[in-house]
Amino acid sequence: TKIAVPKLANKYATTHTAAEDELVAKIRDNVDANTVVFLLMSDTHASNDATSAQSTVPRKLAERIGADANVHLGDMIDENPKSGTDGSLDRLMRYMEGTAASNIPFLHAIGHHEKYGSVIYPKNEADFKYYLTNNLVAGITVRGYDKHLHAVRDAANVFNYYVDFDFQQLRCIFVDSVYMRWGMDEHTISWIKDTVNDTPEDYKIMFFSHVSPVAKANFKNELVNESLLQNMLNEGIEPGHTILGWAHGHTHADNVVYCDEVDFPVIGTACSINEGDSKGANS
C-alpha cells in the first residue's frame, strides 16, 4: 500500500533535518546536570499563514534537545493592518498554543510588535497606538510562563520577572525593554537594581530582553534612558554579583558585542527574515 504524504511548503518545512540531528547530538555530548540549556529565538514575526506551523518547530526542537526552557526574546507576531480587526491577538494565542504546549517552560521577553504594532517613532507615549495592551498580552503569555516554572514578577509590570534555576545557581532576569518603543522606564531600571542586589551571591545572573541595553547595538542607535540604565549597572550593583551576559533580539542579527558601556557581553540573537506574506516562517 502506498501512502502519499504531501510535502510542506518551504516556508513551513524544517529542511535541516541532518543539521538538527547533529545539533541535538552535540548538545547531548556536551552538557551535564550542571548546565542550563535554552532554546533561544527572537523576532519570529508570525503572520496569518505562518503562525500555527512555525510555532511547533522550536517546541519540537526543545523537546529533542531536552532544553530547560524555551526562550523567546520578543516580536513573536506581526501586526496585520489589512485584516480590519488586526488579528494580532488571535495570532499570539495560536503561536503560544503551539510553542508552549510542552512540559518545557516557555519564557518570553515582550517585544514592541506585541505591544505597539507598526507605529514608528512617536514623539511621546500618547502618540502610540497600542495594538495589544499589557493586560491582553499577559492574559495569553503569562499562562505559558507559569505553567511549569514559577516566575517571580514585578507587581507593577508583569513583564519584568525572574526565574531561578536553583540547582545550577542561576537567576534569569527578563526585562520589559519596549518603553517608548525602545528603552526602559525608571521603574524597570530600579526593579533591575533591586532584583540583582537581592540575588544570592553564589548565584550567577543572565539577562534577557527584546532590545539591547546598549544603544549602539540597536536600530538607529536608540535606547530610551540608556545613561540611567548603564549608570545603574556600573555603579548601582553591589559587589559579589556576577552578570554572565545580556541576550536580546530586535536587530535581526546574530552577534556578540563587548563594549565599554557595560561589563558583560551583549548577545544578539538571530531570527527570522521578513518575506512578504510569509513573515517569520523560518525560525
Side-chain angles (χ1 to χ4, degrees):
T1 302
K2 292 184 178 181
I3 301 175
V5 180
K7 181 180 179 181
L8 291 174
N10 287 336
K11 61 184 179 181
Y12 296 142
T14 53
T15 57
H16 50 278
T17 303
E20 182 179 305
D21 291 341
E22 183 179 347
L23 172 64
V24 172
K26 183 177 180 180
I27 292 172
R28 288 176 175 169
D29 289 342
N30 288 279
V31 302
D32 56 30
N34 294 313
T35 306
V36 181
V37 179
F38 298 114
L39 190 143
L40 192 63
M41 57 188 159
S42 186
D43 297 83
T44 43
H45 290 278
S47 58
N48 279 344
D49 56 351
T51 305
S52 298
Q54 100 179 73
S55 67
T56 61
V57 175
R59 174 175 60 82
K60 290 178 178 178
L61 184 56
E63 289 170 349
R64 290 196 62 198
I65 292 172
D68 293 283
N70 201 337
V71 178
H72 200 297
L73 297 179
D75 284 1
M76 285 193 287
I77 59 172
D78 218 47
E79 74 286 344
N80 181 19
K82 294 183 291 187
S83 67
T85 58
D86 179 60
S88 292
L89 191 64
D90 177 65
R91 279 197 306 286
L92 181 59
M93 184 176 294
R94 286 188 286 131
Y95 190 91
M96 284 294 299
E97 286 174 348
T99 307
S102 171
N103 61 349
I104 296 173
F106 182 89
L107 304 173
H108 167 237
I110 190 170
H112 58 282
H113 278 279
E114 279 98 276
K115 197 170 186 180
Y116 304 128
S118 60
V119 64
I120 301 295
Y121 308 121
K123 294 180 180 179
N124 55 66
E125 194 169 15
D127 292 337
F128 278 113
K129 176 180 179 181
Y130 288 82
Y131 270 78
L132 299 175
T133 66
N134 275 3
N135 286 339
L136 286 173
V137 177
I140 295 174
T141 59
V142 168
R143 289 178 297 178
Y145 296 148
D146 293 333
K147 184 176 180 181
H148 302 293
L149 255 183
H150 177 63
V152 180
R153 300 183 182 284
D154 172 14
N157 181 352
V158 296
F159 296 109
N160 293 325
Y161 66 98
Y162 67 87
V163 173
D164 285 342
F165 291 84
D166 293 317
F167 182 81
Q168 297 91 348
Q169 297 181 310
L170 175 68
R171 173 163 291 184
C172 296
I173 301 177
F174 288 76
V175 176
D176 181 346
S177 62
V178 294
Y179 170 69
M180 288 291 290
R181 190 169 178 91
W182 301 333
M184 301 170 207
D185 61 15
E186 293 183 13
H187 171 81
T188 291
I189 293 171
S190 177
W191 177 85
I192 293 172
K193 177 182 176 180
D194 292 342
T195 301
V196 171
N197 289 333
D198 288 343
T199 301
E201 289 191 6
D202 53 349
Y203 278 50
K204 293 182 173 60
I205 296 167
M206 186 72 194
F207 281 100
F208 300 87
S209 67
H210 182 61
V211 174
S212 168
V214 178
K216 66 185 180 184
N218 290 324
F219 294 133
K220 296 185 178 290
N221 298 323
E222 291 184 351
L223 183 68
V224 175
N225 287 329
E226 179 187 25
S227 296
L228 184 64
L229 171 67
Q230 291 170 5
N231 288 340
M232 181 277 293
L233 290 170
N234 292 321
E235 300 175 10
I237 302 301
E238 298 171 0
H241 296 291
T242 302
I243 299 175
L244 297 177
W246 191 307
H248 68 91
H250 181 52
T251 55
H252 296 211
D254 188 2
N255 55 54
V256 179
V257 175
Y258 294 88
C259 56
D260 295 333
E261 285 84 351
V262 292
D263 193 26
F264 47 78
V266 177
I267 305 158
T269 303
C271 64
S272 303
I273 299 174
N274 292 346
E275 296 177 351
D277 291 337
S278 60
K279 289 180 181 179
N282 302 300
S283 55

